[in-house]
Amino acid sequence: MKDFDALKDIWHSQLAAPRLSYEDILKGIRKSKASFANKLLVETIGMFFAIVLFALIWLDSSSMMWTTHLSLLIFLVCCLYYLFVQVRDYRSISNSEHLLKEPEEYISYLKDYRRKRYALNTRKYTVYSIFIGIAFGLYFVEIYFSSPLWHTIAGIVAIALWFIICWYLMKTYIRREQERLTGMIEKLERLEKQFSTEHN
């Protein structure tokens, strides 16, 4: 019986979670946060250049059908919305450093942030994609009337392929982003649990 108890004690000691270093966890959280903020910044800069490109195309083209003007307006509004969201999220994650002093508050902030990002990348992205699709459809009205039929068909096929690729990449993007945020939350929760057991 003593051997069995000793074996049970060894087994439980091996299953015990390793102690976490507060400094290591915070260093990892800060690194993940900085990496995430940098990714948002790069996406924001990319969207800014897309807005400038659409504006230049719109200003440079003198003769356009009303459908083309409407399509470029939809493109610009969609890009401006995306730019606004990315800037807001970048500022939010960058300015959350002070919350690290309060782990419970930071965990709550990250959970809320993860939920909002998931909603943005799923429901809001679907609406965004529908408007982009409408803009492309309106743009191809002019292509249909001013170019050979094969240009229109090739363009529609290319856009359809682009949407399929974006859908696939978006699924991967959502999974990685959620994993990164979940990893940050889990590390903080383990640290908080460790502190609560130490003080009891």
Side-chain angles (χ1 to χ4, degrees):
M1 195 66 179
K2 281 183 181 179
D3 290 340
F4 179 76
D5 289 336
L7 187 61
K8 199 165 74 168
D9 289 341
I10 291 169
W11 178 256
H12 284 298
S13 67
Q14 286 178 347
L15 288 178
R19 289 184 46 74
L20 301 170
S21 162
Y22 181 73
E23 290 78 22
D24 289 344
I25 291 292
L26 285 186
K27 190 176 176 183
I29 295 290
R30 283 191 176 102
K31 187 177 177 185
S32 294
K33 188 171 77 72
S35 171
F36 192 74
N38 288 339
K39 178 184 70 77
L40 290 174
L41 184 62
V42 168
E43 291 172 6
T44 302
I45 292 167
M47 189 52 69
F48 175 77
F49 283 115
I51 290 168
V52 171
L53 177 67
F54 282 126
L56 288 174
I57 290 170
W58 199 356
L59 293 172
D60 191 46
S61 302
S62 53
S63 59
M64 285 186 193
M65 294 175 66
W66 70 269
T67 54
T68 308
H69 286 289
L70 183 57
S71 75
L72 288 170
L73 177 64
I74 292 170
F75 277 127
L76 279 172
V77 169
C78 287
C79 290
L80 286 168
Y81 169 75
Y82 188 84
L83 182 71
F84 167 76
V85 168
Q86 292 296 89
V87 168
R88 183 196 64 198
D89 285 354
Y90 171 76
R91 291 183 65 199
S92 174
I93 201 79
S94 295
N95 296 335
S96 64
E97 183 72 24
H98 68 283
L99 292 174
L100 279 173
K101 294 169 187 171
E102 299 290 333
E104 278 183 40
E105 200 176 330
Y106 197 60
I107 290 168
S108 176
Y109 162 78
L110 283 175
K111 284 181 177 178
D112 186 54
Y113 185 81
R114 179 181 61 180
R115 184 183 52 76
K116 286 178 181 173
R117 287 294 296 181
Y118 185 77
L120 172 73
N121 292 330
T122 53
R123 292 191 301 271
K124 291 178 183 176
Y125 180 76
T126 301
V127 173
Y128 175 84
S129 297
I130 289 167
F131 276 103
I132 293 289
I134 291 168
F136 273 123
L138 290 168
Y139 186 78
F140 276 106
V141 169
E142 182 160 334
I143 301 291
Y144 175 78
F145 285 112
S146 63
S147 301
L149 181 61
W150 73 269
H151 282 184
T152 306
I153 294 169
I156 291 170
V157 169
I159 297 304
L161 287 172
W162 180 74
F163 270 106
I164 291 167
I165 291 167
C166 284
W167 174 78
Y168 174 76
L169 292 175
M170 196 62 187
K171 283 179 70 175
T172 306
Y173 178 88
I174 292 168
R175 181 178 48 79
R176 285 185 182 161
E177 184 172 284
Q178 290 295 303
E179 283 173 359
R180 179 178 288 171
L181 290 169
T182 301
M184 290 168 70
I185 291 165
E186 285 173 353
K187 285 177 185 173
L188 283 169
E189 283 178 336
R190 281 180 62 198
L191 191 64
E192 186 186 29
K193 197 174 186 181
Q194 180 178 302
F195 280 147
S196 66
T197 55
E198 283 175 0
H199 293 312
N200 287 341

